[in-house]
Amino acid sequence: MESVHAVNGSAPACPDFISYTVKNAAGKVISIGLAFVFSNLSHQLLKPLSQPRIASDIAVGLVLGNISLIRHAFDEQFIDILNSIAEFGMICYMFVLGMEMDPYVIFKAPSRNAMVAYAGMVPTIILACSLTPLLHYYQHPTIGFTLSLSTTLSGSSSHILTRLITSLKIGKSDIGKLVIAAGMHSDMISVLLVSIGYLFFPTAVTVNDIAANIRMTLTMAAALLLQIIFTATVSPIFMNWVNNENPEGKPMKGSHLVLSVAYMAFVCSGAPIYGYSPILSAFVAGVFLPSEGRVSKWAVGKINYLLPTIFYPVFFFWMGFHADFSKFEASHWGTWGRFLVLVFITIFGKVIGTVVCGAMLGFHQRESAELGLLLTAKGHFHVFLAVIGILLNITTTTTSISIIIVIFLSVLPTPLVVSQIIKRARKRAPTQRVALEWLDPSNELRILLCIQGVHNVLSTINFMEISQGASDPGILVYLTDMVELTDQIASTLVQEGMDTVTVMDKDVTEMRDQISTAVQAYVEENGNGITLRRMLALSTFDGMAKDICNLAEDLMISLIILPFHKNRHANGTLDGGNPGFRYVNRKVLRNAPCSVGILVDRGYGLVEKISKSVSSFQVAVIFFGGKDDREALAYAGRVARHPGVKLTVIRFLLDSDSVTTSRRAGNYRINAAKQEEEMKLDDESFAQFYERHIAGGHVSYSEKHVANSAETYTTLRSLEGQYGLIIVGRGGRVDSILTIGMNDWQQCPELGPIGDVLSGSDSSHTTSVLIIQQHSLKGELDGVDDEFSIM
């Protein structure tokens, strides 16, 4: 695994040397440019098929690298540069791969994930060690090369599997979690075996003297051991010091960044001084470096950003250049025989191992086979080893091309396998409705509580206070700042990884610090049962709703709370509002993966500390019927548990004695069957609530009998000033005489007809309103994002 200088012939004699040099340089630049263009273009074209990027990169690299015009543009010196770039990039790749792994799991009792990984690896190694020596895959067959190929075929690419499982949305399923964990374990074990094997069978130097060979092995082993001990003992101390000096939210000091990079380079370079592979040394160093902390995350983020952006197009072009199809012996039957044997070893070994292991662990046979197929996926390190075989004259070009094609084929079927898993999961476990009405009371309530600025802090704290319920299981609150991405803020962003940026804008950081300080102080003093997490939705108004919905989806949120786009003046009236936030609220209501609430603050944030012993805060929940009102009632059930809240349930019923009832009913078409079904669900939900809360006297109950929507409006207005907070459903009601026609009066349709009346500009200046919309299913999702089990 050392740098190897490949020979492609020197430049031909040319009368005009300058002209030749310019043309040659232009050819090189164009060739590399084409690699970047086609690599990204092909990746975008294959995205609808969910193909991992490595599939398109291999195809583009093989095609471009074998165009004769491009090959002739490269001289020996430029090929050496490509070799060096490939080696340096692979050092960075292996360093990050190591940092994402935990070496100490090896010393623990084998978990289910480890057993699956071992079960897939052992049969593959046995098959490869038994068959490959008989088929002349090497120029000079030795035990070391046989073991190296066997270990390589038995491994998996954890990077490829993790990105695939995550992008196809089965990361929360049992098989998704198992594939990621087993792939990580298999990857780590296979590379560690290669790292250990290099001590005994180094590729760089061949020593015929046994004594000299032993001395070299002992020297490299001692250097590697010292590097491991130093990295494992000193790194936590150094990293913790840098992390403490550079807390989250503040820009990292330049001197500390330079020092951190120098330290990482230092711990990677110890063993290579004594002849050990720098690529494997980087992996081993990464394994024993702390993976947590700001410095480690910064390093991983930066490298993961640079690899696909800059390194991969060059790397796969380098691969295609050395995989010369003109030397591929396609006309020989033996070539295809050896190729099919490699395919057989790679697939059969993994599948038979996982099927046997799955039977022992109680898995379904089909899922066990799919697990094996997914674990066959190989990655960038395996491609690198195949090319190194050509450069070091270990394998023939034919053999290395065969291995590269096998790697390509190991990745291609993975999206199809995952799609079959999703298809079966939908049949066995239909998509779960994420709503409070169906939430198990013993489960923790997850809330994404959005906040526009410091002016929302007090209402946010009061909302958390009345929502916390019992301390066990409690609530998990993701307090999310809604920040519009302006040009000024965009200019201050610092990229810390492919998906991570830090906001350096002074106004934003100060606002977030004030919010965090105030809310954290409340949680520490009064938040028994509240777990707080901080999030940020930084986007333009066009994209903010999508970011909020994605957050809710990823965090498995049950309820999103959005602040109303209008803010309260000192006299209690509302201002004109921010149309951008109104647009965001409307889009979230349409696309949210869970229930949504909009909080209209008309004094809720001015309420003093809500007592935990005396019922002093008056709250009402209005119930007409329908799914949104049932959701509001379900949330009110949590509020009812707070000792400082006096909850009143107000149920609106049709006045059957009114003379106008029959006439009103005749004016509107009402779906009797649907109304009867909804009324049955309403009665069941209300009966449960009554038995739990009202019957015991903890919650007050009153009925309002009205004959039409006009009376409904008048009754709602009569509630003004009686309560500090009114909870109501947004809509979701079957057409009713009580509300029909109220939609025509709405100023803010996103609040629903009842919420709009209670929040109107001519309504009470002291009564806040919480409008809740229950999550509803809208056909099939793109993937299965909820937890499910099919193993």
Side-chain angles (χ1 to χ4, degrees):
M1 295 183 193
E2 307 297 326
S3 295
V4 175
H5 299 281
V7 178
N8 193 47
S10 56
C14 180
D16 191 347
F17 180 75
I18 296 178
S19 175
Y20 167 78
T21 304
V22 170
K23 289 180 181 179
N24 216 19
K28 296 168 187 174
V29 172
I30 292 173
S31 300
I32 299 298
L34 287 174
F36 278 91
V37 171
F38 284 107
S39 174
N40 289 289
L41 180 61
S42 60
H43 175 58
Q44 295 301 321
L45 291 175
L46 290 178
K47 256 189 176 181
L49 301 178
S50 301
Q51 283 294 333
R53 179 166 189 144
I54 190 174
S56 57
D57 283 345
I58 290 177
V60 169
L62 288 175
V63 171
L64 288 180
N66 282 277
I67 297 176
S68 58
L69 187 63
I70 292 177
R71 296 183 65 86
H72 290 140
F74 291 170
D75 54 23
E76 180 181 351
Q77 183 180 7
F78 192 75
I79 294 170
D80 288 342
I81 294 174
L82 278 181
N83 290 339
S84 300
I85 292 173
E87 184 175 13
F88 177 75
M90 192 51 57
I91 289 173
C92 296
Y93 173 86
M94 296 300 287
F95 178 71
V96 168
L97 183 65
M99 287 191 72
E100 295 175 344
M101 295 179 174
D102 179 13
Y104 302 104
V105 298
I106 301 174
F107 307 106
K108 300 176 183 178
S111 61
R112 186 177 70 162
N113 307 327
M115 292 173 66
V116 170
Y118 296 146
M121 292 180 68
V122 172
T124 307
I125 291 176
I126 293 174
L127 281 173
C129 288
S130 303
L131 298 178
T132 54
L134 307 176
L135 298 174
H136 308 293
Y137 284 97
Y138 311 113
Q139 299 276 30
H140 309 288
T142 65
I143 296 176
F145 299 149
T146 300
L147 292 175
S148 178
L149 177 61
S150 303
T151 307
T152 301
L153 293 176
S154 70
S156 305
S157 175
S158 55
H159 266 186
I160 301 297
L161 289 174
T162 302
R163 289 186 178 276
L164 177 73
I165 296 300
T166 304
S167 64
L168 293 179
K169 304 179 181 181
I170 66 166
K172 296 172 187 173
S173 67
D174 55 353
I175 191 170
K177 294 174 183 176
L178 187 58
V179 168
I180 291 174
M184 187 73 73
H185 208 92
S186 176
D187 204 3
M188 180 175 65
I189 295 298
S190 63
V191 179
L192 284 177
L193 288 176
V194 172
S195 302
I196 295 171
Y198 191 90
L199 296 171
F200 301 96
F201 308 103
T203 58
V205 182
T206 302
V207 181
N208 295 322
D209 186 358
I210 297 178
N213 203 359
I214 293 174
R215 281 196 302 273
M216 180 182 294
T217 298
L218 292 176
T219 301
M220 289 192 297
L224 185 62
L225 182 61
L226 288 174
Q227 176 180 300
I228 290 173
I229 294 173
F230 180 85
T231 305
T233 55
V234 177
S235 297
I237 301 172
F238 174 79
M239 294 293 197
N240 287 336
W241 172 74
V242 176
N243 290 330
N244 292 334
E245 292 291 317
N246 298 272
E248 293 284 352
K250 303 292 183 182
M252 287 192 69
K253 299 175 184 176
S255 57
H256 289 168
L257 277 178
V258 173
L259 195 60
S260 300
V261 173
Y263 177 79
M264 293 176 186
F266 173 74
V267 296
C268 293
S269 60
I273 296 174
Y274 297 93
Y276 192 70
S277 166
I279 294 171
L280 297 177
S281 176
F283 172 78
V284 174
V287 165
F288 289 95
L289 275 170
S291 58
E292 297 298 325
R294 190 175 181 189
V295 176
S296 299
K297 292 178 180 177
W298 173 84
V300 171
K302 287 294 184 185
I303 295 175
N304 276 336
Y305 175 75
L306 292 173
L307 286 176
T309 306
I310 297 175
F311 172 63
Y312 288 162
V314 178
F315 173 76
F316 285 101
F317 179 80
W318 168 81
M319 171 213 71
F321 182 85
H322 288 294
D324 188 355
F325 279 161
S326 64
K327 298 179 182 178
F328 184 70
E329 300 171 343
S331 58
H332 294 179
W333 286 103
T335 298
W336 298 107
R338 286 190 289 271
F339 168 75
L340 292 175
V341 169
L342 287 177
V343 174
F344 170 78
I345 292 172
T346 304
I347 297 177
F348 184 77
K350 286 284 187 184
V351 172
I352 197 65
T354 53
V355 167
V356 172
C357 181
M360 296 171 61
L361 295 174
F363 298 162
H364 298 300
Q365 186 173 347
R366 182 169 180 175
E367 280 70 36
S368 298
E370 289 171 336
L371 180 60
L373 285 173
L374 290 173
L375 290 176
T376 60
K378 304 292 185 288
H380 303 81
F381 181 59
H382 306 95
V383 173
F384 180 79
L385 292 179
V387 178
I388 282 295
I390 300 174
L391 299 182
L392 297 178
N393 203 29
I394 297 171
T395 61
T396 62
T397 302
T398 299
T399 299
S400 290
I401 292 176
S402 298
I403 295 173
I404 292 171
I405 296 175
V406 169
I407 294 170
F408 177 74
L409 294 178
S410 72
V411 174
L412 277 184
T414 50
L416 180 61
V417 174
V418 174
S419 67
Q420 291 300 313
I421 293 172
I422 292 175
K423 184 178 179 180
R424 239 173 16 266
R426 284 200 179 110
K427 292 179 179 178
R428 297 186 189 181
T431 305
Q432 175 186 354
R433 287 183 282 189
V434 186
L436 303 181
E437 186 179 357
W438 299 290
L439 182 68
D440 187 342
S442 63
N443 289 344
E444 181 181 56
L445 174 62
R446 292 168 171 253
I447 301 176
L448 189 71
L449 185 50
C450 298
I451 186 168
Q452 296 172 2
V454 178
H455 59 278
N456 297 136
V457 168
L458 293 178
S459 61
T460 295
I461 290 175
N462 284 332
F463 178 84
M464 293 167 61
E465 173 65 32
I466 68 171
S467 304
Q468 59 183 321
S471 59
D472 185 18
I475 60 174
L476 175 56
V477 177
Y478 289 92
L479 188 60
T480 305
D481 299 297
M482 303 169 69
V483 179
E484 182 190 6
L485 181 61
T486 62
D487 292 339
Q488 178 183 344
I489 295 175
S491 65
T492 68
L493 298 181
V494 176
Q495 185 83 33
E496 291 193 350
M498 191 175 298
D499 303 312
T500 306
V501 294
T502 299
V503 183
M504 307 306 298
D505 183 81
K506 184 179 179 181
D507 292 339
V508 174
T509 54
E510 286 182 355
M511 179 196 73
R512 299 199 75 209
D513 287 344
Q514 290 180 43
I515 294 171
S516 298
T517 301
V519 178
Q520 192 62 50
Y522 157 74
V523 172
E524 291 175 359
E525 183 179 353
N526 303 294
N528 184 26
I530 299 177
T531 304
L532 182 66
R533 299 281 186 271
R534 292 289 276 121
M535 306 297 290
L536 174 64
L538 176 64
S539 178
T540 61
F541 285 133
D542 284 337
M544 189 177 292
K546 183 178 180 182
D547 287 349
I548 291 172
C549 292
N550 288 341
L551 274 177
E553 199 170 37
D554 294 340
L555 300 173
M556 300 174 65
I557 298 298
S558 298
L559 177 63
I560 299 173
I561 297 295
L562 300 165
F564 191 43
H565 70 280
K566 296 182 180 181
N567 297 315
R568 182 181 184 276
H569 288 307
N571 61 0
T573 60
L574 298 177
D575 63 16
N578 186 321
F581 284 121
R582 184 182 189 185
Y583 175 74
V584 171
N585 290 354
R586 286 181 162 187
K587 285 192 70 175
V588 171
L589 285 168
R590 285 198 300 270
N591 303 307
C594 61
S595 296
V596 181
I598 294 181
L599 180 60
V600 182
D601 180 11
R602 305 197 73 166
Y604 190 38
L606 300 179
V607 177
E608 296 182 1
K609 181 179 177 181
I610 299 175
S611 172
K612 290 185 180 291
S613 56
V614 180
S615 298
S616 58
F617 187 57
Q618 297 289 332
V619 178
V621 56
I622 295 176
F623 190 87
F624 285 86
K627 63 185 184 66
D628 289 352
D629 281 3
R630 293 196 297 271
E631 190 75 350
L633 197 65
Y635 171 72
R638 298 190 67 90
V639 176
R641 300 191 189 104
H642 195 288
V645 172
K646 180 60 177 175
L647 179 67
T648 301
V649 177
I650 303 172
R651 187 171 189 182
F652 280 68
L653 297 171
L654 180 64
D655 186 358
S656 57
D657 295 333
S658 172
V659 295
T660 61
T661 299
S662 58
R663 184 174 74 249
R664 290 289 183 180
N667 293 339
Y668 299 100
R669 292 184 179 181
I670 296 177
N671 188 326
K674 188 175 181 181
Q675 187 177 49
E676 184 177 346
E677 181 184 352
E678 282 294 314
M679 288 178 63
K680 182 179 179 182
L681 293 174
D682 292 340
D683 290 340
E684 290 176 356
S685 177
F686 202 89
Q688 292 178 2
F689 185 89
Y690 192 98
E691 183 179 349
R692 289 178 185 173
H693 304 289
I694 299 175
H698 302 298
V699 175
S700 301
Y701 173 63
S702 68
E703 294 180 353
K704 302 292 183 181
H705 293 268
V706 294
N708 50 52
S709 56
E711 292 187 13
T712 298
Y713 177 82
T714 303
T715 306
L716 289 173
R717 293 299 301 270
S718 70
L719 301 176
E720 294 177 1
Q722 299 182 36
Y723 303 97
L725 176 68
I726 296 180
I727 305 169
V728 65
R730 176 173 180 256
R733 307 176 184 92
V734 176
D735 288 342
S736 167
I737 296 172
L738 304 184
T739 57
I740 280 180
M742 293 182 68
N743 290 340
D744 301 335
W745 310 340
Q746 293 181 89
Q747 297 176 0
C748 298
E750 65 269 25
L751 301 181
I754 308 302
D756 186 72
V757 170
L758 295 170
S759 307
S761 57
D762 56 347
S763 298
S764 170
H765 295 170
T766 59
T767 300
S768 300
V769 186
L770 176 63
I771 300 96
I772 295 181
Q773 171 186 279
Q774 187 180 83
H775 174 237
S776 58
L777 297 177
K778 299 177 181 178
E780 289 190 341
L781 300 176
D782 293 334
V784 181
D785 296 287
D786 303 304
E787 291 188 3
F788 66 90
S789 175
I790 65 171
M791 295 295 289

